[in-house]
Amino acid sequence: MAKNIHSPLVVGNWKMNPSTLADARKLFLDTRKEIGRKKLNTQVIVAPPFPFMSELQKLSPSQRIMIASQNVHFKKNGAHTGEVSLPMLQSVGVSAVIVGHSERRMSGESDEEVSKKIETVLKTKTTIIVCIGETKRDNHGNYFGVIEKQLHSALSVVPKPKLSQVVIAYEPVWAIGTGATATPEDVHEMKLFIQKIIALKYGKTYMNKVRILYGGSVKKENAQQLLDISEVNGFLVGGASLKSKEFAKIINIADAYAKRTL
Ligand code: PGA
């Protein structure tokens, strides 16, 4: 998927929204219209609920907006009621998969399951967006240990040649949907920490092969700072991706940043 690993990636996670296919079509078409026709240096992905994917995929034949899944099962098929497999997603044109979102981890998804999912997805060319994040911050820096554990587990199934297929989304859980954002300086520190773990495991040259996104109350008002100071490679946007104008604004900010820095 990545034309240039350093070009920003902006992912809209619609979660369990909107309620109907008609509303999903409208949100998708409005988003497409707001983004406009200009050449983008930014990759744009939206992750709608499963029932809407196939239909929305047809609304962007040029893949200007790509479709991601919010989850996947690690098995190809079988007796797994309520689950959706990667071949199913690929057959409706999904080009990326999010795994380990904190809302799924909260309902019981373990590090082990997340790594099984990563392993499955890496057998294909589908991009995998792995979410990691601490539930709370403390004054002793214990939250770094949480990130280290989640990241080690995720990377344990990623061989060197597959590293660039992986995107890490750092999403402090306390900042998701709350309006509270980590400071750009804190996010920058965490980005460096994540890169250090990658460098120690794979070697220094590999540290820039993985895109690191930030997620957690990203809005048009904080996107610029998060790029300038945190130097993240893009965003995983929840609430703001349900407003086409706001989402397009965040994409424009990322795109202008890319034009200045790439
Ligand atoms: P938020 O969600 O932007 O609404 O905080 C982010 C996410 O959960 O990915």
Side-chain angles (χ1 to χ4, degrees):
M1 177 194 73
K3 38 184 180 187
N4 173 351
I5 206 86
H6 299 292
S7 60
L9 172 60
V10 179
V11 185
N13 176 11
W14 287 5
K15 308 190 181 184
M16 203 169 71
N17 299 292
S19 301
T20 65
L21 176 58
D23 288 348
R25 280 179 62 95
K26 182 170 182 336
L27 176 58
F28 192 87
L29 290 173
D30 285 351
T31 302
R32 206 182 68 176
K33 190 168 148 233
E34 290 297 335
I35 295 170
R37 294 186 169 275
K38 63 179 181 302
K39 187 184 170 297
L40 286 179
N41 288 305
T42 304
Q43 285 182 319
V44 181
I45 298 184
V46 298
F50 291 133
F52 307 149
M53 284 175 171
S54 168
E55 199 63 21
L56 300 188
Q57 154 67 21
K58 292 181 204 140
L59 299 178
S60 186
S62 62
Q63 297 246 307
R64 208 163 146 72
I65 304 180
M66 288 184 286
I67 302 291
S69 162
Q70 299 173 19
N71 186 28
V72 67
H73 194 272
F74 53 85
K75 290 269 182 69
K76 269 196 191 134
N77 48 36
H80 302 285
T81 303
E83 297 289 347
V84 173
S85 74
L86 188 61
M88 292 171 188
L89 296 170
Q90 288 177 315
S91 77
V92 295
V94 163
S95 38
V97 170
I98 299 172
V99 296
H101 190 278
S102 63
E103 284 152 17
R104 298 206 53 83
R105 289 183 190 263
M106 271 187 264
S107 50
E109 187 163 296
S110 64
D111 277 347
E112 199 192 344
E113 269 175 90
V114 171
S115 53
K116 278 189 188 163
K117 291 176 181 191
I118 298 171
E119 212 169 8
T120 298
V121 177
L122 288 183
K123 290 190 185 126
T124 68
K125 296 216 177 312
T126 306
T127 297
I128 182 132
I129 303 166
V130 183
C131 302
I132 56 173
E134 77 280 4
T135 49
K136 59 178 190 302
R137 288 223 159 187
D138 57 89
N139 293 331
H140 310 288
N142 291 332
Y143 51 90
F144 284 107
V146 175
I147 299 301
E148 189 169 10
K149 184 172 166 289
Q150 290 177 345
L151 195 56
H152 269 300
S153 170
L155 294 177
S156 67
V157 293
V158 183
K160 257 187 198 176
K162 285 279 178 181
L163 203 55
S164 56
Q165 208 176 317
V166 177
V167 175
I168 302 291
Y170 168 59
E171 297 207 303
V173 181
W174 50 269
I176 295 178
T178 58
T181 336
T183 67
E185 290 77 10
D186 287 343
V187 176
H188 186 231
E189 186 182 33
M190 194 54 88
K191 183 195 170 182
L192 297 178
F193 182 69
I194 293 168
Q195 285 187 318
K196 189 175 137 200
I197 293 175
I198 295 169
L200 285 172
K201 183 168 164 67
Y202 297 96
K204 236 181 172 167
T205 51
Y206 284 83
M207 139 183 135
N208 290 321
K209 292 206 185 291
V210 181
R211 279 166 159 166
I212 301 173
L213 311 184
Y214 170 76
S217 299
V218 174
K219 315 184 259 291
K220 60 182 186 317
E221 290 80 12
N222 57 21
Q224 186 73 60
Q225 273 212 324
L226 284 163
L227 291 165
D228 286 341
I229 301 172
S230 317
E231 298 181 326
V232 287
N233 306 106
F235 304 116
L236 182 51
V237 186
S241 70
L242 300 172
K243 298 176 216 147
S244 53
K245 277 195 170 47
E246 167 124 22
F247 189 52
K249 182 84 189 128
I250 294 169
I251 293 163
N252 285 338
I253 291 170
D255 211 51
Y257 176 81
K259 287 202 179 98
R260 265 190 286 122
T261 56
L262 283 187

